Amino acid sequence: MHKKMAFSFPDEVLEHVFSFIQSDKDRNAVSMVCKSWYEIERWCRRKVFVGNCYAVSPRMVIRRFPEFRSIELKGKPHFADFNLVPDGWGGYVFPWIAEMAGAYPWLEEIRLKRMVVTDESLELIAKSFKNFKVLVLSSCEGFSTDGLAAIAASCKNLKELDLRDCEVDDLSAHWLSHFPETYTSLVSLNISCLGSDEASFSALERLVRRCTNLKTLRLNRAVPLDKIANILRHAPQLVEFGTGTYTADVRPDVYSDLAGVFSSCKELKSLSGFWDVIPDYVPAIYPVCSKLTSLNLSYATIQSPDLIKLVSHCPNLQRLLVLDYIEDSGLEVLASSCKDLQELRVFPSDPFGAEPNVSLTEQGLVAVSLGCPKLQSVLYFCRRMSNEALVTIARSRPNFTRFRLCIIEPKTADYLTLEPLDVGFGAIVQYCKDLRRLSLSGLLTDRVFEYIGTYAKKLEMLSVAFAGDSDLGLHHVLSGCESLRKLEIRDCPFGDKALLANAAKLETMRSLWMSSCAVSFAACKLLGQKMPRLNVEVIDERGPPDSRPENCPVDKLYIYRSIAGPRFDMPPFVWTMDEDSGLRLS
Amino acid sequence: MVFEKDLNLDATELRLGLPGSSEESLRISNKRALPDMNDDSGVAAAKKCDQETAPPTKAQVVGWPPIRSYRKNSLQTKKIEAETSGMYVKVSMDGAPYLRKIDLKVYKGYPELFKALEDMFKFKVGKYSEREGYNGSEFVPTYEDKDGDWMLVGDVPWEMFINACKRLRIVRGSEARGLGCVV
């Protein structure tokens, strides 16, 4: 009797309580308390997140959550960003759209990452969801401006259209004109990935003019500098703005027009774009610099002195993306000017050059780590590193949550001692107790993995390349990293033993990627046989793995947990190992 | 929670050998199908050797360094646009510590080219005559043609010149004597 009373809140009360719980992790936890909470929770979950589109089927999701309004799906593994996943591997969104079109006419938001999106999918979205509001496509491909035209024409309540980092077939810039003249609800538009030599400027200007709630506008490179003033003039309320190409003949009238219009943008907090930037036009943005919290200069090919001047004007910067033209000297200025800096990404201007073209070394990273107390996320490309520097960085910045270091030449040793960088990265994981994401580079032995397995207890994602000596390395990571969700490895001497010994661990992770390693076909078959809730995919463009001896290493291996079983949309170069231990082709 | 302790992995361990076969340690020697994963203490030294003898341009490893294509393309576009739409040639001058690059397509003829070179390198070209070459000047413009021969600039019609010219060199007058004209 007492037990029953304790759980006898009416459903509506519990639902109301649950409505304050937004994060998926918390919602998942809530749903595991008891059967009735599971039931109530599933009916009122409005946002669904599927980290791997093949971990579950659309029908399963729809069956469990009958009334969601927003879905986020992720497709290809992260290494697809660097062309390691062959074209045609998978990640098609169409089956999801098709299932949802029937079940959910009231779907409002779709967010996709690394998925293949066809025009057909976009047309189906446009047709099926009358109250569709948000479309965010991140690193997706497979569609053209025709699909965008369908979205523009039909989605009367569209608020957000964000195509960040997508590969779009640019057939015509006129898709923008498909937004009806009566359409005014746009709040966020990111078309920075589009090519098109001839953008439809007048349609763009008209769109911006009538959408008075527009807060985010990221233009593409094709929009010339002299058009920006006209666009900004009609959108002084913008909070985030991305320019197009930032070069033009130096003309005082164009300059003052631009500077004037930037001055009138009192809400601007984030700037990006700056393709082909010339120093003469940079000061035009000085009026907004003091309010900027985010600055993306990763396409800006200007040199250190100009970058230093710019950065010195931005004391409130929290996020900076920049090319290595900034050099150590620029990073030192950054460290002294921008005390609120939380995230820094430094990209290489000449990644394939054999010799360094700029004076950017480990010193820049040390300076920023010492000088910026709130720094927690770093992506840094450089050409040399030392254990000493890494230890200094770790000690001074224990609050790192994301640390991604890319020393451009694989297996580069500590330049001072010629030793491996095990101790340096070991310090990072030891001092940065909240580290969630780590990317390694440089010369590394099994030692570094021992450190990682011992200390990196909160680590969720690890990226490894050209590192380690033996299976022991992999074993340390799989057996020690309790929070590990994603592990991606390339060109390491890790083979069967560690993988098979830690098979159970793989079910607690989202996925494991291994390419150019030493895992044999036999081990893959065994794993597939013994672990029915793992999809073990062998990706090999050389031909069927059984045409080679069993102990031959497979080219690429992608293992992920799934309750949907093997997928049926695999291309000819992907094989799933399953219970029959035979090969299953799609 | 360490998996080894909780799950008694030894008992459940998946192995390739027959059940009951002896336990093998996880550290195995370098029996790999991959050529470069050699585990030896000389790695650092060997690496240094490699770096010293390595050629200036290396074959690119797929997907390394880990940079998105759109970033690579955006950096390259500047270079490619420059190199395909124009006719860029390097220009050097004896005694000058720097190299310049110019786009021959930009000039309509020799006079404009010479004016540009004069501005760039602060010298005077002097008067040209077919028999005597350049008179009245310490410096003489020469070019390397497609056959690798060094010729006096101005020998041939302009169109022929810009198609044949691979690079330019402004030499001291004394060295220019003896340069042949195109037959």
Side-chain angles (χ1 to χ4, degrees):
Chain A
M1 208 48 195
H2 284 283
K3 243 191 187 165
K4 226 182 165 186
M5 278 176 68
F7 294 115
S8 64
F9 283 124
D11 288 0
E12 302 81 61
V13 174
L14 280 172
E15 238 184 75
H16 180 68
V17 171
F18 293 168
S19 70
F20 293 102
I21 300 170
Q22 304 288 351
S23 100
D24 293 295
K25 272 176 81 175
D26 293 339
R27 283 241 152 195
N28 291 342
V30 157
S31 69
M32 301 226 283
V33 167
C34 63
K35 278 206 174 112
S36 63
W37 279 36
Y38 176 92
E39 276 302 307
I40 297 166
E41 194 283 318
R42 76 182 189 91
W43 278 95
C44 66
R45 189 176 303 205
R46 296 283 174 259
K47 288 176 83 154
V48 171
F49 171 76
V50 180
N52 174 2
C53 65
Y54 290 120
V56 67
S57 75
R59 203 159 294 179
M60 285 169 163
V61 173
I62 290 172
R63 211 166 43 217
R64 180 172 170 189
F65 302 113
E67 293 197 353
F68 67 83
R69 299 271 185 281
S70 156
I71 186 162
E72 182 174 349
L73 293 168
K74 296 189 180 182
K76 301 185 208 173
H78 173 242
F79 272 176
D81 284 355
F82 315 124
N83 304 324
L84 288 178
V85 178
D87 274 345
W89 170 83
Y92 305 103
V93 81
F94 188 79
W96 288 84
I97 309 291
E99 289 276 353
M100 292 188 298
Y104 287 174
W106 49 83
L107 187 68
E108 293 178 3
E109 305 182 355
I110 295 176
R111 292 177 172 81
L112 306 175
K113 188 165 187 179
R114 287 192 207 97
M115 294 198 77
V116 178
V117 182
T118 55
D119 284 345
E120 201 186 7
S121 303
L122 292 175
E123 281 152 24
L124 191 53
I125 291 172
K127 213 169 45 180
S128 315
F129 309 119
K130 295 302 161 203
N131 200 26
F132 195 66
K133 295 201 172 111
V134 172
L135 184 62
V136 177
L137 303 179
S138 173
S139 304
C140 294
E141 37 138 8
F143 61 102
S144 78
T145 42
D146 285 354
L148 296 176
I151 297 282
S154 309
C155 301
K156 302 188 184 358
N157 294 313
L158 192 70
K159 282 173 47 182
E160 201 174 320
L161 179 60
D162 185 336
L163 308 174
R164 59 183 77 155
D165 309 332
C166 286
E167 248 181 69
V168 184
D169 203 359
D170 238 310
L171 301 174
S172 148
H174 295 295
W175 68 275
L176 268 171
S177 333
H178 287 252
F179 281 111
E181 290 301 315
T182 48
Y183 167 75
T184 57
S185 26
L186 199 58
V187 173
S188 171
L189 180 66
N190 180 349
I191 51 171
S192 53
C193 64
L194 293 183
S196 68
D197 301 311
E198 224 191 270
S200 178
F201 302 130
S202 52
L204 182 60
E205 274 176 49
R206 282 198 315 274
L207 183 64
V208 170
R209 206 175 306 190
R210 65 182 185 271
C211 295
T212 51
N213 288 321
L214 195 63
K215 294 279 187 294
T216 298
L217 178 63
R218 306 242 189 236
L219 302 173
N220 56 328
R221 195 174 186 170
V223 180
L225 190 57
D226 51 3
K227 292 286 178 196
I228 288 182
N230 278 340
I231 290 171
L232 279 178
R233 218 185 309 277
H234 297 289
Q237 77 285 359
L238 280 181
V239 175
E240 299 181 323
F241 180 64
T243 74
T245 181
Y246 206 76
T247 185
D249 294 332
V250 182
R251 282 167 42 198
D253 54 330
V254 171
Y255 178 88
S256 52
D257 204 17
L258 194 59
V261 120
F262 270 118
S263 311
S264 65
C265 293
K266 307 280 183 210
E267 312 296 321
L268 217 45
K269 290 221 165 47
S270 165
L271 280 180
S272 61
F274 300 109
W275 285 279
D276 321 302
V277 60
I278 54 170
D280 304 78
Y281 277 107
V282 171
I285 66 169
Y286 284 176
V288 298
C289 282
S290 60
K291 292 219 187 82
L292 283 185
T293 56
S294 169
L295 188 52
N296 183 350
L297 297 171
S298 61
Y299 302 107
T301 48
I302 45 175
Q303 304 300 318
S304 187
D306 299 303
L307 285 167
I308 287 176
K309 264 188 262 177
L310 177 50
V311 152
S312 315
H313 278 83
C314 308
N316 291 310
L317 215 51
Q318 293 172 15
R319 184 168 187 263
L320 177 65
L321 279 66
V322 72
L323 286 169
D324 57 7
Y325 289 129
I326 195 166
E327 299 192 332
D328 289 339
S329 53
L331 290 175
E332 274 154 39
V333 172
L334 182 69
S336 57
S337 313
C338 304
K339 295 303 184 185
D340 279 346
L341 196 69
Q342 293 173 23
E343 180 179 351
L344 175 67
R345 298 192 187 205
V346 180
F347 295 97
S349 54
D350 186 18
F352 303 112
E355 297 300 320
N357 61 324
V358 290
S359 179
L360 179 107
T361 68
E362 80 286 1
Q363 291 306 316
L365 186 56
V366 171
V368 183
S369 304
L370 287 171
C372 300
K374 299 190 189 162
L375 189 65
Q376 38 166 282
S377 170
V378 143
L379 170 61
Y380 198 78
F381 285 81
C382 61
R383 287 174 191 272
R384 74 175 201 203
M385 188 49 60
S386 66
N387 284 309
E388 185 185 318
L390 283 170
V391 172
T392 305
I393 289 165
R395 283 205 161 118
S396 57
R397 208 74 292 124
N399 45 322
F400 271 126
T401 54
R402 289 186 285 280
F403 190 80
R404 297 160 69 188
L405 179 64
C406 180
I407 304 166
I408 289 177
E409 182 63 32
K411 305 203 209 171
T412 302
D414 177 327
Y415 78 98
L416 293 170
T417 64
L418 295 186
E419 283 171 4
L421 291 169
D422 300 336
V423 165
F425 279 106
I428 295 281
V429 292
Q430 193 180 343
Y431 286 99
C432 305
K433 300 200 191 307
D434 291 323
L435 196 69
R436 293 196 312 262
R437 184 166 180 187
L438 177 64
S439 299
L440 304 172
S441 58
L443 182 65
L444 297 164
T445 71
D446 284 345
R447 206 72 208 275
V448 73
F449 299 109
E450 194 178 344
Y451 290 130
I452 292 173
T454 304
Y455 293 110
K457 295 306 181 188
K458 299 254 180 82
L459 192 67
E460 297 178 7
M461 181 170 179
L462 179 64
S463 308
V464 187
F466 305 101
D469 311 310
S470 76
D471 270 54
L472 199 53
L474 180 57
H475 176 68
H476 283 309
V477 172
L478 288 178
S479 57
C481 296
E482 293 161 7
S483 311
L484 197 64
R485 293 190 296 115
K486 290 179 280 184
L487 179 56
E488 47 184 25
I489 302 172
R490 62 163 296 174
D491 293 273
C492 297
F494 300 146
D496 302 342
K497 298 242 176 275
L499 198 57
L500 295 176
N502 292 282
K505 170 72 171 175
L506 299 177
E507 269 189 15
T508 69
M509 294 165 52
R510 182 185 296 172
S511 65
L512 167 64
W513 169 278
M514 292 179 74
S515 56
S516 305
C517 295
V519 180
S520 72
F521 180 49
C524 295
K525 281 197 289 187
L526 186 59
L527 202 57
Q529 216 181 347
K530 297 292 179 192
M531 310 291 294
R533 288 185 302 187
L534 290 182
N535 277 0
V536 177
E537 291 190 11
V538 170
I539 301 164
D540 210 321
E541 286 174 288
R542 297 172 295 178
D546 62 352
S547 63
R548 287 176 289 279
E550 259 197 3
N551 61 354
C552 250
V554 298
D555 183 26
K556 296 168 185 177
L557 178 59
Y558 185 48
I559 302 173
Y560 54 91
R561 65 182 176 190
S562 175
I563 54 173
R567 55 188 178 111
F568 299 104
D569 60 356
M570 293 178 296
F573 52 83
V574 178
W575 293 267
T576 291
M577 314 285 106
D578 66 12
E579 296 91 80
D580 303 331
S581 192
L583 300 178
R584 170 84 54 86
L585 295 167
S586 62
Chain B
M1 182 175 75
V2 177
F3 286 101
E4 274 167 338
K5 283 194 209 128
D6 290 352
L7 295 179
N8 188 14
L9 254 190
D10 280 351
T12 58
E13 183 183 307
L14 300 176
R15 299 189 210 169
L16 292 177
L18 294 169
S21 57
S22 59
E23 186 174 311
E24 295 161 47
S25 84
L26 283 166
R27 176 180 276 286
I28 45 182
S29 60
N30 307 307
K31 288 183 259 176
R32 299 277 173 260
L34 302 163
D36 7 324
M37 301 299 166
N38 286 318
D39 168 34
D40 54 57
S41 52
V43 156
K47 177 79 188 149
K48 196 155 186 273
C49 283
D50 278 349
Q51 282 174 334
E52 279 160 13
T53 57
T57 50
K58 298 193 175 172
Q60 289 175 23
V61 177
V62 173
W64 192 267
I67 300 170
R68 304 289 303 271
S69 312
Y70 60 78
R71 285 200 186 283
K72 281 191 269 192
N73 294 343
S74 134
L75 289 172
Q76 304 241 7
T77 308
K78 248 189 145 176
K79 271 171 89 176
I80 288 170
E81 264 172 15
E83 280 157 18
T84 53
S85 65
M87 290 175 133
Y88 282 76
V89 296
K90 287 191 187 155
V91 187
S92 61
M93 180 160 102
D94 288 351
Y98 51 94
L99 269 185
R100 301 296 281 262
K101 246 183 167 181
I102 59 171
D103 180 359
L104 290 178
K105 263 200 182 151
V106 159
Y107 310 106
K108 297 194 185 61
Y110 288 119
E112 279 184 33
L113 173 63
F114 291 154
K115 176 86 178 51
L117 291 177
E118 283 174 350
D119 286 348
M120 223 181 265
F121 290 95
K122 311 277 182 271
F123 75 105
K124 284 276 175 237
V125 170
K127 281 188 82 150
Y128 174 80
S129 79
E130 220 173 297
R131 219 176 326 134
E132 292 181 26
Y134 287 88
N135 253 339
S137 164
E138 199 195 341
F139 290 96
V140 169
T142 66
Y143 70 101
E144 184 182 22
D145 72 5
K146 287 200 154 79
D147 301 324
D149 298 325
W150 285 92
M151 320 291 284
L152 273 180
V153 173
D155 287 345
V156 302
W158 174 253
E159 285 301 309
M160 206 187 278
F161 162 69
I162 59 174
N163 283 312
C165 174
K166 271 172 45 187
R167 48 184 296 182
L168 282 165
R169 188 173 150 213
I170 301 165
V171 303
R172 293 190 197 285
S174 47
E175 279 157 40
R177 266 177 249 304
L179 279 182
C181 305
V182 174
V183 166

